[in-house]
Amino acid sequence: MDDLWIERARRGDAAAFNALMQHWHPRIYRYVRRYFARYAAAGEDGPMAAEVAQKTFISAYEGLGRLRRNAGFRSWLYRIAINHCHAEERRRKPDPLPEDAGTFQVQAWGAGPEGDLTHDDLQRWLQEALRRIPAEQREVVLLKEYEHLTFREIAEALQIPESTAKSRLYYGLKALRQVLEGWRLTPEHLYHES
């Protein structure tokens, strides 16, 4: 269905572009919100994600005529979103980790007496762990594990070779595991059904 909407939108059909936007907006917003998860404590992640998503679709509308092939739409759209995320990051001062980052404990987010964690607890843990790995690895992890892009699409979106995308995923997942193990969380915690 995307191919039909893309083709019609490229020819100037505003309704087709609106259909594309309605289809893709939730995904782009979700990606951008995860990208800015470190601002969640201040309540800024939602407004930032809304603004960046809006800028993404404005840029997509303006540049759709330059898209070379319909099959590349998904990676092209994520590339635009990533560029706007980077621009927003440059606009803001770096957000260093808190001084007590090394003493982060499971009890901070509701581990019960048996050590059980809720789904929400685990999501907060993962967001915090993602925040602690290098940005280029975090981008690939988000695109592959959350957005389910192929390595080819990730390579196109980030303008890197596929082998680099694979390497960044490998090292990003390894870094995540080390962070979680440092907090004494194991893969079993992550897949535990609440």
Side-chain angles (χ1 to χ4, degrees), residues 56-87:
T56 297
F57 284 99
I58 290 170
S59 295
Y61 181 77
E62 292 171 349
L64 193 58
R66 294 186 300 272
L67 179 64
R68 287 185 235 146
R69 55 185 177 77
N70 292 356
F73 178 79
R74 184 162 92 157
S75 57
W76 176 76
L77 188 60
Y78 277 100
R79 173 79 247 158
I80 294 170
I82 290 164
N83 285 341
H84 283 295
C85 286
H86 290 174

Side-chain angles (χ1 to χ4, degrees), residues 145-188:
E145 300 299 322
Y146 286 93
E147 301 304 317
H148 310 291
L149 270 66
T150 65
F151 282 114
R152 180 178 181 186
E153 290 170 324
I154 293 169
E156 289 174 3
L158 297 176
Q159 298 176 333
I160 58 176
E162 277 186 62
S163 59
T164 301
K166 290 176 183 178
S167 173
R168 287 182 184 176
L169 179 67
Y170 172 79
Y171 288 109
L173 292 175
K174 184 177 178 180
L176 274 176
R177 183 178 193 88
Q178 289 173 338
V179 170
L180 294 170
E181 286 175 350
W183 294 332
R184 293 186 173 48
L185 281 176
T186 63
E188 293 76 36

Side-chain angles (χ1 to χ4, degrees), residues 2-182:
D2 273 3
D3 284 344
L4 177 62
W5 289 338
I6 293 166
E7 200 51 51
R8 289 175 57 192
R10 287 173 73 178
R11 290 193 306 251
D13 184 335
F17 184 80
N18 285 338
L20 273 174
M21 192 175 100
Q22 285 185 350
H23 178 75
W24 283 98
H25 186 274
R27 296 174 191 191
I28 295 297
Y29 175 81
R30 183 182 62 226
Y31 169 77
V32 174
R33 188 147 188 192
R34 284 187 181 121
Y35 184 94
F36 290 124
R38 70 182 189 198
Y39 298 102
E44 296 179 33
D45 60 326
M48 289 170 70
E51 183 178 337
V52 168
Q54 181 180 20
K55 288 178 180 179
T56 297
F57 284 99
I58 290 170
S59 295
Y61 181 77
E62 292 171 349
L64 193 58
R66 294 186 300 272
L67 179 64
R68 287 185 235 146
R69 55 185 177 77
N70 292 356
F73 178 79
R74 184 162 92 157
S75 57
W76 176 76
L77 188 60
Y78 277 100
R79 173 79 247 158
I80 294 170
I82 290 164
N83 285 341
H84 283 295
C85 286
H86 290 174
E88 184 64 24
E89 286 272 79
R90 285 190 301 272
R91 199 175 71 73
R92 294 178 166 268
K93 290 182 182 176
D95 181 32
L97 289 172
E99 302 241 347
D100 64 347
T103 61
F104 193 72
Q105 297 295 319
V106 174
Q107 288 75 18
W109 282 323
E114 294 86 35
D116 291 341
L117 297 173
T118 67
H119 177 74
D120 289 344
D121 293 329
L122 292 173
Q123 290 305 311
R124 286 190 290 265
W125 276 92
L126 284 171
Q127 291 304 320
E128 184 63 25
L130 279 165
R131 176 179 175 218
R132 292 166 187 253
I133 67 173
E136 65 273 355
Q137 293 173 4
R138 182 175 55 246
E139 285 177 339
V140 174
V141 170
L142 289 174
L143 291 170
K144 183 68 175 160
E145 300 299 322
Y146 286 93
E147 301 304 317
H148 310 291
L149 270 66
T150 65
F151 282 114
R152 180 178 181 186
E153 290 170 324
I154 293 169
E156 289 174 3
L158 297 176
Q159 298 176 333
I160 58 176
E162 277 186 62
S163 59
T164 301
K166 290 176 183 178
S167 173
R168 287 182 184 176
L169 179 67
Y170 172 79
Y171 288 109
L173 292 175
K174 184 177 178 180
L176 274 176
R177 183 178 193 88
Q178 289 173 338
V179 170
L180 294 170
E181 286 175 350

